[in-house]
Amino acid sequence: MPHKVVFLHGSPRRRGNTRALATLAMAELAKRGIAADEIDVPGLAYTHPGCIACFKCQQSPGYGCHVGDGLAEAVARLPGYDALVMATPVYWFSAPAQMKMLIDRMFSLIKFGPGDAIASPLRGKVLALFATGGGEEEENLDILAKQWRIPAERLGMPFLSCLFPFCHFPPGEAAADPESAQQARDFAGNLAGLLAAAPAGR
């Protein structure tokens, strides 16, 4: 069974640099026989912006958000993939608000057990951050990577990051920059390598 990857696009700018570079990475994955689905997070319908702390996901036997909207449907799809790629720019020192709404709903994909034990259908899947920023890596790209590395470790998910500092090209033109384009392709190669080390559908 071939591996399944999903790119979660967080930028409300659909023709921006993050999406342009992610498109190069997806094309490289396709060359390696790995098709990638895409979820346009800012385009998802929602009845509540993010998690409402109802805790119904923790009280039910299964996994998934109990708020019946597009955000919940997107979250429910995630365990079906072998790798989740969070493709996002940095907005005001963090991910865009639209991306944060989905991130908070992902709380429904974990269950707390005795002690500090956490069970999740995401365990063993690859979590990757693919992020662009207008300044230096130390201007919160590094913090964004740390924010994702921590839950990846807690959930037992191999973690991969690909950071693009100084990505201040006009919208969509970062893909024409040879260095950035090669970095996106290298990310795809590294992701393919992680996937090859584990069985599909794990």
Side-chain angles (χ1 to χ4, degrees):
M1 175 186 291
H3 288 99
K4 298 173 65 178
V5 175
V6 62
F7 277 69
L8 296 154
H9 297 293
S11 176
R13 180 182 278 171
R14 291 175 175 82
R15 289 185 172 85
N17 287 314
T18 311
R19 183 77 66 103
L21 291 168
T23 298
L24 290 179
M26 288 185 284
E28 183 66 24
L29 285 172
K31 290 180 182 178
R32 298 167 182 265
I34 302 172
D37 289 341
E38 300 177 78
I39 296 178
D40 178 36
V41 176
L44 295 173
Y46 59 88
T47 56
H48 298 282
C51 176
I52 61 173
C54 68
F55 286 91
K56 290 181 180 178
C57 62
Q58 299 303 307
Q59 297 159 3
S60 65
Y63 292 93
C65 178
H66 286 248
V67 178
D69 59 8
L71 277 174
E73 292 170 4
V75 168
R77 293 171 53 189
L78 301 184
Y81 293 97
D82 300 298
L84 316 180
V85 181
M86 316 300 287
T88 181
V90 171
Y91 274 26
W92 193 241
F93 306 106
S94 187
Q98 294 91 334
M99 189 67 136
K100 188 63 165 60
M101 290 197 298
L102 179 90
I103 291 167
D104 287 350
R105 294 284 191 94
M106 289 173 68
F107 174 67
S108 65
L109 296 179
I110 65 172
K111 301 283 189 188
F112 293 101
D116 290 330
I118 296 178
S120 173
L122 298 179
R123 184 169 297 277
K125 312 208 183 264
V126 177
L127 180 62
L129 174 67
F130 189 92
T132 60
E136 297 181 18
E137 189 170 312
E138 291 75 17
E139 293 179 352
N140 275 61
L141 274 173
D142 58 342
I143 294 177
L144 200 62
K146 182 178 180 180
Q147 287 175 346
W148 280 103
R149 185 176 291 107
I150 291 171
E153 290 175 355
R154 292 290 303 275
L155 296 178
M157 303 175 73
F159 181 71
L160 179 65
S161 70
C162 183
L163 308 178
F164 297 87
F166 302 110
C167 192
H168 41 57
F169 303 94
E173 293 188 15
D177 174 62
E179 184 175 345
S180 299
Q182 187 59 51
Q183 185 178 344
R185 296 188 184 99
D186 289 345
F187 163 79
N190 292 333
L191 179 57
L194 279 177
L195 291 171
R202 60 194 181 288

